[in-house]
């Protein structure tokens, strides 16, 4: 294995079956375990790969590392459910408010907000949606445009998103197993468990980005809402279904890979086309799910701060998907598994409202640490405009519970101080596996991205409230 150092936090690994680009500072690069490079080489066995990379938050996943960008030509390339992930369409959303952090500094106010949010956003896995009047099939076909008008506060909720509708051939929905509709029906507007969250944060604007921040409606001390969730059972069941389908078809074709969890098929094959079309239905569910979570949070804020409070959308984007994009003068299928698209100012793929400035790239930290709002740079073309999707896990849930104490977790959440980050759980023990110590140092991750000239920080988001699924 030969390593070429390009400088600016960019390494190129010449593996047996192809080249892997790694964007990380020295400290992060040296922390990668050998397993991530073995998994990359297995991924590069998929024929005709155009580009493969890791962002600094990369860590071992199933079949493919989280933090992977992998690209094939639409003409003769491959699609892989393993390089999308089972939480199809998982992503981030940020809403701004007119409030300053001093407006919610009082713990009583923040506890009232937590109670109000839990009234509108189900956080228990066994709790059904509050929006049973929404036709789920309209949502998976049309995305945000399939929601009833009463749940769309204004046009801005439709325009400030990566996509409001992911278009696909609806005829493929006939191939869905009935259980997928059954399990997903009661989940629209629900948070989910694991690392999904709602955080109430305040902003610190980067000194060199005051002008851009003002254009985006951001100011120092501003209270914002950050949401992390995905396509819930709709995407999860699709992922499970196509794991079986792709495994069977690979066996029938005589295709083998050292990692039996790495599954793929030609884009033009029947299986490839079916998966791609149904994956887009999950993307529609995901963006609509985050929309409805945000709608519930808006109602909660209005209960606490008055019925005329507005919560404009800053942006909504995904970090688990495969999208058809034009690069190098040809259509490509860009897989991002735990990677965020960060387009620079003026790039033609930007949504219209952010064409001039580039769109906000939303990067969560771990619970108790900062999150970041970034903007892509032109130099990001070297990585198909992909950056990190968060801090990235440093250790498994089991290992975290064995190594980290509740007291250590409490200290990182500033429990007992004026600046305590309040949570919706009675005991930190129940969410110990999501503590900051379970994750890499997000500041090192951001330093890696900035140093690689992939994106710049516009604002740092400091947590005040963290709401997790039960």
């Amino acid at each position: 294995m030969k390593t070429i150092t390009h400088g600016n936090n960019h390494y190129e690994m010449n593996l047996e079956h192809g080249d892997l680009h790694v964007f990380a500072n020295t400290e992060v690069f040296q922390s990668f375990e050998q397993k991530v490079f073995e998994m990359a080489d297995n991924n590069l066995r998929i024929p005709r790969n155009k580009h493969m990379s890791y962002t600094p938050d990369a860590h071992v996943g199933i079949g493919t590392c989280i933090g992977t960008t992998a690209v094939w030509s639409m003409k003769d390339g491959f699609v892989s459910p393993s390089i999308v992930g089972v939480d199809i369409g998982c992503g981030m959303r940020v809403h701004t408010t007119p409030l300053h952090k001093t407006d919610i500094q009082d713990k009583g106010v923040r506890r009232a907000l937590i109670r109000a949010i839990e009234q509108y956003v189900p956080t228990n896995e066994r709790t059904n949606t509050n929006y049973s009047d929404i036709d789920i099939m309209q949502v998976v076909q049309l995305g945000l445009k399939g929601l009833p008008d009463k749940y769309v506060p204004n046009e801005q909720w439709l325009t400030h998103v990566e996509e409001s509708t992911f278009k696909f051939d609806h005829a493929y929905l006939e191939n869905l197993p009935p259980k997928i509709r059954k399990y997903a029906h009661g989940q629209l507007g629900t948070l989910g468990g694991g690392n999904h969250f709602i955080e109430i944060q305040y902003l610190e604007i980067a000194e060199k980005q005051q002008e851009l921040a003002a254009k985006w409606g951001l100011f120092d001390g501003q209270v914002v809402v950050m949401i992390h969730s995905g396509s819930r059972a709709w995407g999860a069941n699709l992922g499970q279904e196509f794991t079986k389908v792709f495994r069977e078809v690979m066996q029938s074709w005589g295709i083998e890979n050292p990692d039996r969890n790495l599954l793929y098929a030609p884009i033009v094959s029947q299986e490839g086309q079916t998966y791609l079309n149904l994956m887009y239905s999950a993307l529609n569910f995901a963006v609509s799910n985050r929309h409805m979570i945000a709608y519930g949070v808006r109602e909660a804020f209005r209960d606490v701060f008055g019925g005329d409070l507005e919560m404009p959308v800053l942006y909504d984007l995904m970090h688990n998907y495969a999208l058809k994009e034009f690069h190098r003068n040809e259509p490509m299928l860009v897989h991002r598994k735990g990677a965020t698209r960060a387009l620079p100012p003026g790039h033609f793929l930007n949504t219209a409202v952010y064409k001039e400035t580039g769109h906000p790239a939303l990067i969560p930290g771990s619970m108790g640490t900062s999150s970041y709002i970034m903007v892509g740079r032109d130099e990001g073309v070297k990585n198909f405009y992909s950056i990190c999707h968060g801090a990235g896990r440093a250790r498994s849930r089991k290992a975290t519970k064995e190594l980290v104490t509740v007291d250590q977790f409490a200290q990182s959440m500033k429990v007992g101080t004026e600046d305590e980050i309040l949570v919706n759980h009675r005991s930190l023990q129940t969410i110990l596996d999501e503590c900051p110590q379970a994750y890499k140092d997000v500041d090192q991750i951001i330093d890696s991205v900035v140093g690689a000239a992939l994106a710049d920080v516009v604002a740092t988001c400091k947590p005040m409230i963290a709401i997790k699924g039960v």
Side-chain angles (χ1 to χ4, degrees):
M1 181 172 65
K2 180 182 177 182
T3 301
I4 302 171
T5 303
H6 291 289
N8 297 324
N9 297 346
H10 180 190
Y11 300 86
E12 185 176 351
M13 320 286 291
N14 300 142
L15 305 178
E16 182 180 353
H17 293 93
D19 296 334
L20 171 72
H21 296 266
V22 181
F23 297 92
N25 65 24
T26 302
E27 181 177 334
V28 174
F29 182 74
Q30 292 177 348
S31 72
F32 285 123
E33 57 183 300
Q34 184 61 29
K35 179 68 173 177
V36 302
F37 300 119
E38 294 172 3
M39 294 187 74
D41 194 54
N42 289 335
N43 280 221
L44 287 164
R45 290 172 182 260
I46 305 175
R48 296 188 286 277
N49 176 265
K50 298 288 187 180
H51 176 82
M52 184 168 176
S53 72
Y54 285 158
T55 45
D57 51 333
H59 59 281
V60 171
I62 299 175
T64 300
C65 286
I66 292 88
T68 294
T69 298
V71 185
W72 282 269
S73 168
M74 290 293 297
K75 180 181 178 181
D76 59 4
F78 288 75
V79 58
S80 170
S82 309
I83 318 181
V84 170
V86 292
D87 193 359
I88 302 169
C90 184
M92 304 303 303
R93 187 180 183 96
V94 167
H95 284 253
T96 61
T97 78
L99 302 173
H100 188 270
K101 67 175 182 178
T102 54
D103 295 320
I104 65 168
Q105 188 65 49
D106 181 82
K107 290 183 181 179
V109 173
R110 282 187 280 157
R111 290 192 178 101
L113 257 180
I114 291 173
R115 290 193 296 271
I117 289 171
E118 288 196 308
Q119 288 294 313
Y120 289 100
V121 183
T123 57
N124 190 307
E125 279 289 339
R126 294 176 293 279
T127 304
N128 281 336
T129 179
N130 291 327
Y131 308 106
S132 56
D133 57 327
I134 297 177
D135 184 343
I136 193 174
M137 295 310 295
Q138 286 292 301
V139 165
V140 297
Q141 291 179 63
L142 303 174
L144 299 182
K145 295 177 182 177
L147 295 171
D149 290 344
K150 67 178 181 177
Y151 295 124
V152 182
N154 54 57
E155 185 70 15
Q156 198 254 5
W157 284 55
L158 301 177
T159 57
H160 286 57
V161 296
E162 196 168 39
E163 292 284 350
S164 60
T165 301
F166 291 87
K167 297 179 181 178
F168 68 98
D169 185 346
H170 298 168
Y172 283 96
L173 291 169
E174 296 174 7
N175 298 325
L176 280 176
K179 67 176 182 179
I180 293 182
R181 301 186 194 195
K182 174 186 175 183
Y183 290 141
H185 178 73
Q187 293 192 328
L188 194 64
T190 65
L191 187 58
N195 61 1
H196 292 170
F197 65 79
I198 300 165
E199 277 197 3
I200 313 303
Q201 309 162 334
Y202 72 89
L203 299 183
E204 291 180 353
I205 307 300
E207 186 176 345
K208 295 181 180 179
Q209 299 287 358
Q210 295 285 340
E211 184 178 347
L212 176 58
K215 286 182 179 180
W216 287 356
L218 308 179
F219 59 85
D220 269 311
Q222 183 178 25
V223 173
V224 299
V225 178
M226 179 174 278
I227 296 166
H228 179 211
S229 193
S231 54
R232 307 290 282 113
W234 188 275
N237 280 286
L238 278 180
Q240 292 167 8
E241 182 69 20
F242 279 91
T243 292
K244 292 185 291 186
V245 170
F246 274 53
R247 181 167 286 138
E248 289 171 1
V249 77
M250 285 178 66
Q251 289 174 349
S252 71
W253 291 338
I255 299 175
E256 295 182 351
N257 191 286
D259 188 343
R260 71 182 303 272
N261 291 314
L262 177 57
L263 306 167
Y264 46 94
I267 294 170
V268 297
S269 68
Q270 179 182 343
E271 292 78 14
Q273 285 297 300
T274 302
Y275 174 75
L276 277 174
N277 278 274
L278 291 179
M279 181 199 67
Y280 285 129
S281 77
L283 300 186
N284 281 332
F285 190 103
V287 67
S288 302
N289 187 49
R290 286 190 295 275
H291 175 109
M292 294 310 303
I293 291 171
Y295 181 87
V297 174
R298 173 180 175 266
E299 295 303 294
F301 265 80
R302 287 183 156 202
D303 283 355
V304 176
F305 294 103
D308 58 350
L309 182 140
E310 289 298 339
M311 261 179 41
V313 187
L314 178 65
Y315 202 52
D316 183 293
L317 52 70
M318 313 211 182
H319 50 231
N320 277 7
Y321 56 48
L323 280 186
K324 177 183 176 182
E325 298 177 3
F326 281 85
H327 298 275
R328 303 174 185 173
N329 297 315
E330 68 170 303
M332 306 271 200
L333 187 65
V334 181
H335 297 69
R336 294 186 178 94
K337 182 179 182 178
T340 303
R341 189 167 74 173
L343 299 170
H347 195 282
F348 73 96
L349 286 175
N350 274 303
T351 189
V353 294
Y354 286 117
K355 180 71 178 292
E356 176 192 349
T357 65
H359 65 84
L362 313 175
I363 310 300
S366 55
M367 185 167 49
T369 69
S370 297
S371 296
Y372 292 86
I373 298 172
M374 307 184 77
V375 64
R377 294 180 54 168
D378 290 330
E379 294 91 330
V381 66
K382 63 191 172 189
N383 196 33
F384 286 73
Y385 302 105
S386 291
I387 65 172
C388 59
H389 85 304
R393 288 196 79 93
R395 55 182 57 90
S396 69
R397 296 182 184 278
K398 180 181 178 182
T400 300
K401 290 178 178 179
E402 292 172 348
L403 293 171
V404 182
T405 68
V406 173
D407 286 344
Q408 290 172 323
F409 187 10
Q411 186 175 0
S412 66
M413 299 294 284
K414 304 174 185 175
V415 172
T417 72
E418 285 287 316
D419 297 322
E420 179 179 351
I421 302 163
L422 299 183
V423 299
N424 62 318
H425 288 250
R426 291 184 179 180
S427 169
L428 292 179
Q429 180 69 50
T430 61
I431 49 174
L432 183 60
D433 57 354
E434 279 295 312
C435 68
Q437 293 87 341
Y439 289 85
K440 298 181 183 182
D441 181 349
V442 70
D443 293 333
Q444 288 291 326
I445 303 304
I446 298 301
D447 176 78
S448 296
V449 170
V450 172
L454 299 177
D456 289 322
V457 174
V458 177
T460 304
C461 313
K462 302 286 189 176
M464 299 182 78
I465 296 172
I467 295 175
K468 303 285 290 185
V470 180

